[in-house]
Amino acid sequence: MEYGVGKLERVVVVSIFPGEYVLETLEEVIRRERIEHGVILSGFGTLSEVHLHWVTTTGLPPVERFEKYEGPFELLSLSGVIVGGEPHIHAVVSNPRGAYGGHLERGNKVLYLCEVAIGVLAGVAMRREQTPHGIRQLRFDQ
């Protein structure tokens, strides 16, 4: 285990409009606001298109499954971190048939609204380092 300690510098709140894409919009905000490191504090809304992936095995290297769904869906939760300006975000979505969760991919289209709060971090040195099995592990410079 490793961990880093920093401070919450500011909060950027994003309103994503109907027809816009969640991850693509957040990447644009991260670039515009020059967010190097951060955390997704809150995220919710509705989606007309969902694109997630998750692991399907317990061995290494992991085997991943990618799925796309057409809505309507409730976006119940977004969580994740931003390291080196790159977001790693997971989502939970639901419809009357159940709830689904996984790694947020490009192609999640907002139906009515999506609101996301990003906490911008200062004073913590983080990076992603690839393991021999291809996993981009979060590491900290002490």
Side-chain angles (χ1 to χ4, degrees):
M1 173 190 61
E2 287 185 14
Y3 66 92
V5 178
K7 292 187 179 192
L8 188 61
E9 178 181 90
R10 61 191 165 112
V11 176
V12 176
V13 180
V14 183
S15 178
I16 306 173
F17 299 143
E20 295 181 330
Y21 292 92
V22 177
L23 183 57
E24 293 86 334
T25 301
L26 294 176
E27 288 172 334
E28 182 178 342
V29 170
I30 290 165
R31 180 184 52 76
R32 282 186 186 181
E33 291 297 316
R34 295 180 173 88
I35 300 172
E36 183 69 14
H37 303 311
V39 294
I40 304 299
L41 300 172
S42 177
F44 57 88
T46 56
L47 302 173
S48 62
E49 297 175 16
V50 173
H51 188 194
L52 303 173
H53 92 260
W54 56 91
V55 296
T56 60
T57 61
T58 57
L60 291 171
V63 176
E64 298 172 313
R65 179 176 173 172
F66 292 78
E67 290 283 340
K68 291 184 179 182
Y69 305 101
E70 300 238 345
F73 283 89
E74 287 291 322
L75 174 57
L76 303 176
S77 175
L78 289 176
S79 60
V81 296
I82 300 162
V83 178
E86 293 183 32
H88 179 187
I89 302 173
H90 287 239
V92 178
V93 301
S94 71
N95 66 15
R97 292 183 299 281
Y100 311 88
H103 180 92
L104 189 72
E105 293 292 331
R106 286 183 169 83
N108 289 273
K109 187 187 277 188
V110 173
L111 178 58
Y112 299 120
L113 64 84
C114 179
E115 298 171 356
V116 181
I118 302 170
V120 181
L121 300 176
V124 61
M126 302 187 291
R127 69 186 186 288
R128 292 229 176 256
E129 191 173 286
Q130 190 149 331
T131 68
H133 298 289
I135 299 167
R136 296 187 65 226
Q137 185 74 44
L138 182 60
R139 303 300 301 262
F140 300 88
D141 297 327
Q142 302 296 331

